[in-house]
Amino acid sequence: MCAIADSVLDATSAQIDLAHSWTERLRIAIRVRWGNELDAYGVSLGMEIHVLFEGVPGVIVRSDGVVIEGADLDNVVHAAVRAAASADRIELCGAMPVDVAAKVREAIRADVEVRVNRYGFESLEQVAAYKAAYATGGAGDAAFFYSAAQSTPLTKHDDVLVAGVANENDLRERVREAHSRGAGIVELYAGLGVSAAAVAREASAHELPIGFID
């Protein structure tokens, strides 16, 4: 069994090295993990992802197996328990305190993944500036992007801009649009990982902090 597992990992590593794009690399990696049909960004089409962010309560996206929902900080754990009844993965926004994230992990079934949005070192000063501006009411909107079978227009829900993206070009366009509309921070969800973060960072001319699910 170990020999088989090692050979799979070796083959996967070789495939990843030979892949021509970051979407191909992501596709290969997640195929090993989930074994299902994948969308353009490598997310299993049978995988249900529920994103929770601290904000105005309510669902702002329900599409392509992805739900994005705002919740009061005091109700995040309750919302996660409810979401875990049907979700394969819970993704938490980058503003989520680590103690709340830990409570979410403790409260839901072990077979449901819990991931927290994170930022690269190059974004930390910009995140701190955004946090300070948010505290005084002067921050721009947050912009959330998620992997989708078909890209969607950038829409506004309270203080959040959101869009689904199906490919790198659309991600670049949506990030640039969000930037031009005054967004102060970007977070990527539902399969948009470190490679997508690099694309988004470049698209923002390195002016916006980019969070992603690692």
Side-chain angles (χ1 to χ4, degrees):
M1 180 67 181
C2 290
I4 294 174
D6 289 342
S7 66
V8 169
L9 289 174
D10 289 343
T12 302
S13 298
Q15 286 177 298
I16 291 173
D17 289 341
L18 291 171
H20 295 294
S21 70
W22 60 277
T23 52
E24 290 180 63
R25 291 194 293 273
L26 187 57
R27 232 183 247 115
I28 292 165
I30 295 183
R31 184 176 295 116
V32 172
R33 172 64 178 85
W34 293 99
N36 294 331
E37 185 181 358
L38 307 172
D39 73 8
Y41 276 104
V43 175
S44 168
L45 294 178
M47 186 180 187
E48 298 290 328
I49 297 175
H50 200 112
V51 176
L52 290 170
F53 68 95
E54 183 185 0
V56 177
V59 172
I60 64 172
V61 170
R62 191 186 300 275
S63 176
D64 293 329
V66 176
V67 175
I68 301 179
E69 178 183 3
D72 295 326
L73 194 57
D74 291 341
N75 292 320
V76 167
V77 175
H78 175 74
V81 170
R82 173 172 41 78
S86 59
D88 298 297
R89 180 194 292 173
I90 304 294
E91 297 184 351
L92 303 175
C93 77
M96 203 66 66
V98 67
D99 60 328
V100 174
K103 289 176 182 176
V104 168
R105 176 64 280 172
E106 293 166 3
I108 65 175
R109 305 190 325 265
D111 62 328
V112 177
E113 293 185 27
V114 176
R115 303 285 185 89
V116 180
N117 208 284
R118 57 155 293 186
Y119 289 82
F121 194 78
E122 71 283 351
S123 287
L124 297 185
E125 290 182 357
Q126 292 168 323
V127 171
Y130 180 85
K131 182 178 179 181
Y134 187 86
T136 61
D141 292 333
F144 294 165
F145 301 102
Y146 62 95
S147 175
Q150 293 185 336
S151 297
T152 65
L154 189 67
T155 58
K156 183 175 172 67
H157 301 266
D158 296 302
D159 57 355
V160 175
L161 297 166
V162 64
V165 293
N167 54 64
E168 290 181 24
N169 287 337
D170 286 349
L171 176 59
R172 288 189 184 93
E173 289 179 5
R174 299 298 187 278
V175 170
R176 288 167 182 156
E177 181 183 354
H179 196 190
S180 71
R181 290 173 60 173
I185 199 165
V186 170
E187 293 195 340
L188 308 178
Y189 293 101
L192 301 183
V194 63
S195 296
V199 171
R201 179 78 174 166
E202 182 180 7
S204 75
H206 304 273
E207 294 178 359
L208 296 179
I210 309 296
F212 59 96
I213 300 296
D214 193 2

